[in-house]
Amino acid sequence: MLEQVVTIFDGLTKKVKKLKKASYEENMKAFRKEHGHYIDEMLQHVEGKEDKKAAAREVSLDLINQIKEHFSVRGKIRGVVQMDLNLFMIYYVFPSILLTYHDDAKLLADTLCEVWNEQFPKEKIGYTDYNTLYKSFNEKILGIFG
């Protein structure tokens, strides 16, 4: 379904480390320009189905299965990589979904978050929209990275 969607994670570590307000804004614009078609594809898949929740779950599992296949070493994702994946989802993927203002964006984001937490039971993430995240920066994200 989402052929080569894991390419959205190219440059993963660079995009989540030492993130500052200006670099986050720049990274988000680049992410949406380069990979927004994947977000659109996910939303179109959901929109075109009678059972939207099931369709959102299907898309979410497809994405997560590709992530697991790409980032796993001997069946496991290293802790530091998992942390970066979690942050990337929170900083880029969820806000990008919500920034589409598509009728099914919240459903997809909610379902993706739910499925993420099921598939990675030791990782409990949540999400928020881009503007809330952007406003949380002083110069550095939440003022904590040096």
Short mmCIF file of all heavy atoms in Angstrom, two decimals, residues 101-133:
data_model
loop_
_atom_site.label_atom_id
_atom_site.label_comp_id
_atom_site.label_asym_id
_atom_site.label_seq_id
_atom_site.Cartn_x
_atom_site.Cartn_y
_atom_site.Cartn_z
N TYR A 101 -5.70 19.30 7.57
CA TYR A 101 -7.06 19.73 7.88
C TYR A 101 -8.09 18.87 7.14
O TYR A 101 -9.21 19.31 6.89
CB TYR A 101 -7.26 21.22 7.60
CG TYR A 101 -6.34 22.08 8.41
CD1 TYR A 101 -5.21 22.66 7.84
CD2 TYR A 101 -6.56 22.26 9.77
CE1 TYR A 101 -4.34 23.42 8.61
CE2 TYR A 101 -5.70 23.03 10.54
CZ TYR A 101 -4.59 23.60 9.95
OH TYR A 101 -3.73 24.36 10.70
N HIS A 102 -7.69 17.66 6.81
CA HIS A 102 -8.58 16.70 6.15
C HIS A 102 -9.63 16.24 7.16
O HIS A 102 -9.35 16.17 8.37
CB HIS A 102 -7.74 15.51 5.67
CG HIS A 102 -8.48 14.55 4.81
ND1 HIS A 102 -9.33 13.61 5.33
CD2 HIS A 102 -8.49 14.38 3.46
CE1 HIS A 102 -9.83 12.89 4.34
NE2 HIS A 102 -9.34 13.34 3.20
N ASP A 103 -10.81 15.93 6.69
CA ASP A 103 -11.89 15.48 7.58
C ASP A 103 -11.52 14.25 8.40
O ASP A 103 -12.01 14.08 9.51
CB ASP A 103 -13.17 15.17 6.78
CG ASP A 103 -13.82 16.42 6.21
OD1 ASP A 103 -13.51 17.54 6.68
OD2 ASP A 103 -14.65 16.29 5.30
N ASP A 104 -10.64 13.40 7.85
CA ASP A 104 -10.25 12.17 8.53
C ASP A 104 -8.90 12.27 9.22
O ASP A 104 -8.38 11.26 9.71
CB ASP A 104 -10.23 11.00 7.53
CG ASP A 104 -11.60 10.74 6.92
OD1 ASP A 104 -12.59 10.77 7.68
OD2 ASP A 104 -11.70 10.52 5.70
N ALA A 105 -8.32 13.46 9.29
CA ALA A 105 -6.98 13.61 9.87
C ALA A 105 -6.93 13.21 11.34
O ALA A 105 -6.04 12.47 11.76
CB ALA A 105 -6.49 15.05 9.70
N LYS A 106 -7.88 13.65 12.12
CA LYS A 106 -7.89 13.31 13.55
C LYS A 106 -8.09 11.80 13.75
O LYS A 106 -7.42 11.20 14.58
CB LYS A 106 -8.96 14.10 14.30
CG LYS A 106 -9.06 13.72 15.78
CD LYS A 106 -9.01 14.90 16.67
CE LYS A 106 -9.20 14.60 18.14
NZ LYS A 106 -8.33 13.63 18.74
N LEU A 107 -8.97 11.21 12.98
CA LEU A 107 -9.19 9.77 13.06
C LEU A 107 -7.90 9.02 12.74
O LEU A 107 -7.51 8.10 13.47
CB LEU A 107 -10.29 9.32 12.10
CG LEU A 107 -10.46 7.81 11.95
CD1 LEU A 107 -10.92 7.17 13.25
CD2 LEU A 107 -11.41 7.50 10.80
N LEU A 108 -7.21 9.42 11.69
CA LEU A 108 -5.96 8.76 11.33
C LEU A 108 -4.91 8.95 12.41
O LEU A 108 -4.24 8.00 12.81
CB LEU A 108 -5.44 9.26 9.98
CG LEU A 108 -4.11 8.66 9.53
CD1 LEU A 108 -4.18 7.14 9.42
CD2 LEU A 108 -3.67 9.28 8.21
N ALA A 109 -4.75 10.16 12.91
CA ALA A 109 -3.76 10.43 13.96
C ALA A 109 -4.08 9.63 15.23
O ALA A 109 -3.18 9.02 15.82
CB ALA A 109 -3.69 11.92 14.26
N ASP A 110 -5.34 9.63 15.63
CA ASP A 110 -5.74 8.86 16.82
C ASP A 110 -5.45 7.38 16.65
O ASP A 110 -4.92 6.72 17.55
CB ASP A 110 -7.23 9.04 17.12
CG ASP A 110 -7.59 10.39 17.69
OD1 ASP A 110 -6.69 11.13 18.15
OD2 ASP A 110 -8.81 10.72 17.70
N THR A 111 -5.81 6.85 15.49
CA THR A 111 -5.63 5.43 15.23
C THR A 111 -4.16 5.08 15.13
O THR A 111 -3.72 4.07 15.69
CB THR A 111 -6.38 5.01 13.94
OG1 THR A 111 -7.75 5.40 14.07
CG2 THR A 111 -6.28 3.51 13.71
N LEU A 112 -3.39 5.91 14.46
CA LEU A 112 -1.95 5.66 14.33
C LEU A 112 -1.29 5.67 15.70
O LEU A 112 -0.46 4.81 16.01
CB LEU A 112 -1.30 6.70 13.41
CG LEU A 112 0.20 6.58 13.18
CD1 LEU A 112 0.59 5.20 12.65
CD2 LEU A 112 0.66 7.67 12.21
N CYS A 113 -1.66 6.59 16.54
CA CYS A 113 -1.11 6.66 17.90
C CYS A 113 -1.49 5.41 18.69
O CYS A 113 -0.66 4.80 19.37
CB CYS A 113 -1.61 7.92 18.59
SG CYS A 113 -0.84 8.22 20.19
N GLU A 114 -2.75 5.01 18.60
CA GLU A 114 -3.24 3.82 19.29
C GLU A 114 -2.49 2.56 18.83
O GLU A 114 -2.04 1.77 19.65
CB GLU A 114 -4.73 3.68 19.01
CG GLU A 114 -5.40 2.45 19.53
CD GLU A 114 -6.85 2.40 19.06
OE1 GLU A 114 -7.58 3.40 19.23
OE2 GLU A 114 -7.26 1.35 18.52
N VAL A 115 -2.34 2.41 17.52
CA VAL A 115 -1.67 1.23 16.97
C VAL A 115 -0.18 1.26 17.31
O VAL A 115 0.42 0.23 17.61
CB VAL A 115 -1.91 1.10 15.45
CG1 VAL A 115 -1.10 -0.03 14.84
CG2 VAL A 115 -3.40 0.89 15.17
N TRP A 116 0.42 2.43 17.28
CA TRP A 116 1.84 2.58 17.67
C TRP A 116 2.04 2.06 19.09
O TRP A 116 2.95 1.28 19.36
CB TRP A 116 2.26 4.04 17.57
CG TRP A 116 3.71 4.28 17.80
CD1 TRP A 116 4.34 4.50 18.99
CD2 TRP A 116 4.74 4.32 16.81
NE1 TRP A 116 5.68 4.69 18.80
CE2 TRP A 116 5.96 4.58 17.47
CE3 TRP A 116 4.75 4.18 15.42
CZ2 TRP A 116 7.17 4.69 16.79
CZ3 TRP A 116 5.95 4.30 14.74
CH2 TRP A 116 7.14 4.54 15.43
N ASN A 117 1.18 2.49 19.98
CA ASN A 117 1.29 2.08 21.38
C ASN A 117 1.01 0.59 21.58
O ASN A 117 1.57 -0.02 22.47
CB ASN A 117 0.38 2.94 22.26
CG ASN A 117 0.89 4.36 22.38
OD1 ASN A 117 2.08 4.64 22.28
ND2 ASN A 117 -0.02 5.29 22.59
N GLU A 118 0.18 0.00 20.73
CA GLU A 118 -0.05 -1.45 20.77
C GLU A 118 1.17 -2.21 20.26
O GLU A 118 1.58 -3.21 20.84
CB GLU A 118 -1.25 -1.84 19.90
CG GLU A 118 -2.59 -1.42 20.41
CD GLU A 118 -3.69 -1.62 19.38
OE1 GLU A 118 -3.45 -2.19 18.28
OE2 GLU A 118 -4.82 -1.18 19.66
N GLN A 119 1.73 -1.73 19.17
CA GLN A 119 2.83 -2.43 18.52
C GLN A 119 4.16 -2.25 19.26
O GLN A 119 5.05 -3.08 19.15
CB GLN A 119 2.98 -1.95 17.07
CG GLN A 119 1.81 -2.33 16.18
CD GLN A 119 1.71 -3.82 15.99
OE1 GLN A 119 2.66 -4.49 15.59
NE2 GLN A 119 0.53 -4.36 16.29
N PHE A 120 4.28 -1.16 19.97
CA PHE A 120 5.46 -0.88 20.79
C PHE A 120 4.98 -0.68 22.23
O PHE A 120 4.93 0.45 22.72
CB PHE A 120 6.21 0.35 20.28
CG PHE A 120 6.65 0.25 18.85
CD1 PHE A 120 6.05 1.02 17.86
CD2 PHE A 120 7.68 -0.61 18.48
CE1 PHE A 120 6.46 0.94 16.54
CE2 PHE A 120 8.10 -0.70 17.16
CZ PHE A 120 7.48 0.07 16.18
N PRO A 121 4.63 -1.77 22.92
CA PRO A 121 3.97 -1.65 24.23
C PRO A 121 4.80 -0.96 25.31
O PRO A 121 4.24 -0.43 26.27
CB PRO A 121 3.65 -3.09 24.61
CG PRO A 121 4.39 -3.96 23.67
CD PRO A 121 4.78 -3.15 22.49
N LYS A 122 6.11 -0.92 25.16
CA LYS A 122 6.93 -0.22 26.15
C LYS A 122 7.01 1.27 25.86
O LYS A 122 7.56 2.04 26.64
CB LYS A 122 8.35 -0.82 26.17
CG LYS A 122 8.38 -2.24 26.69
CD LYS A 122 9.77 -2.78 26.70
CE LYS A 122 9.78 -4.23 27.18
NZ LYS A 122 11.09 -4.82 27.13
N GLU A 123 6.49 1.67 24.72
CA GLU A 123 6.54 3.07 24.28
C GLU A 123 5.12 3.61 24.28
O GLU A 123 4.31 3.18 23.49
CB GLU A 123 7.11 3.17 22.86
CG GLU A 123 8.40 2.42 22.64
CD GLU A 123 9.54 2.92 23.50
OE1 GLU A 123 9.64 4.14 23.72
OE2 GLU A 123 10.31 2.08 23.95
N LYS A 124 4.83 4.50 25.16
CA LYS A 124 3.51 5.12 25.17
C LYS A 124 3.67 6.58 24.74
O LYS A 124 4.19 7.39 25.48
CB LYS A 124 2.86 5.04 26.56
CG LYS A 124 2.56 3.63 27.00
CD LYS A 124 1.51 3.00 26.11
CE LYS A 124 1.19 1.59 26.58
NZ LYS A 124 0.56 0.80 25.56
N ILE A 125 3.28 6.83 23.50
CA ILE A 125 3.40 8.20 22.99
C ILE A 125 2.02 8.81 22.84
O ILE A 125 1.01 8.13 22.83
CB ILE A 125 4.16 8.25 21.64
CG1 ILE A 125 3.40 7.53 20.52
CG2 ILE A 125 5.56 7.67 21.79
CD1 ILE A 125 3.98 7.74 19.14
N GLY A 126 2.02 10.11 22.72
CA GLY A 126 0.83 10.88 22.41
C GLY A 126 1.20 11.83 21.29
O GLY A 126 2.30 11.74 20.74
N TYR A 127 0.33 12.74 20.98
CA TYR A 127 0.66 13.70 19.93
C TYR A 127 -0.08 15.00 20.16
O TYR A 127 -1.01 15.08 20.95
CB TYR A 127 0.34 13.12 18.54
CG TYR A 127 -1.14 13.01 18.25
CD1 TYR A 127 -1.84 14.07 17.67
CD2 TYR A 127 -1.86 11.87 18.56
CE1 TYR A 127 -3.19 13.98 17.41
CE2 TYR A 127 -3.21 11.76 18.30
CZ TYR A 127 -3.87 12.83 17.72
OH TYR A 127 -5.21 12.74 17.47
N THR A 128 0.36 16.00 19.44
CA THR A 128 -0.32 17.29 19.44
C THR A 128 -0.15 17.90 18.04
O THR A 128 0.53 17.33 17.18
CB THR A 128 0.23 18.21 20.55
OG1 THR A 128 -0.62 19.34 20.67
CG2 THR A 128 1.66 18.65 20.29
N ASP A 129 -0.71 19.03 17.83
CA ASP A 129 -0.63 19.68 16.52
C ASP A 129 0.65 20.50 16.39
O ASP A 129 1.34 20.78 17.38
CB ASP A 129 -1.87 20.56 16.28
CG ASP A 129 -1.96 21.69 17.27
OD1 ASP A 129 -1.40 22.76 17.01
OD2 ASP A 129 -2.57 21.47 18.34
N TYR A 130 0.96 20.89 15.17
CA TYR A 130 2.18 21.62 14.87
C TYR A 130 2.28 22.93 15.66
O TYR A 130 3.33 23.23 16.24
CB TYR A 130 2.27 21.91 13.36
CG TYR A 130 3.42 22.82 13.01
CD1 TYR A 130 4.72 22.34 12.94
CD2 TYR A 130 3.20 24.17 12.78
CE1 TYR A 130 5.78 23.17 12.65
CE2 TYR A 130 4.26 25.02 12.47
CZ TYR A 130 5.54 24.51 12.41
OH TYR A 130 6.60 25.35 12.13
N ASN A 131 1.22 23.70 15.67
CA ASN A 131 1.28 25.02 16.33
C ASN A 131 1.57 24.90 17.82
O ASN A 131 2.33 25.70 18.37
CB ASN A 131 -0.01 25.81 16.08
CG ASN A 131 -0.14 26.25 14.65
OD1 ASN A 131 0.86 26.55 13.99
ND2 ASN A 131 -1.36 26.28 14.14
N THR A 132 0.99 23.93 18.47
CA THR A 132 1.25 23.71 19.89
C THR A 132 2.70 23.34 20.11
O THR A 132 3.35 23.87 21.02
CB THR A 132 0.31 22.62 20.45
OG1 THR A 132 -1.04 23.03 20.24
CG2 THR A 132 0.56 22.39 21.93
N LEU A 133 3.22 22.45 19.28
CA LEU A 133 4.64 22.07 19.39
C LEU A 133 5.54 23.27 19.13
O LEU A 133 6.48 23.52 19.88
CB LEU A 133 4.98 20.97 18.38
CG LEU A 133 4.83 19.55 18.83
CD1 LEU A 133 5.07 18.59 17.67
CD2 LEU A 133 5.76 19.21 19.97
#
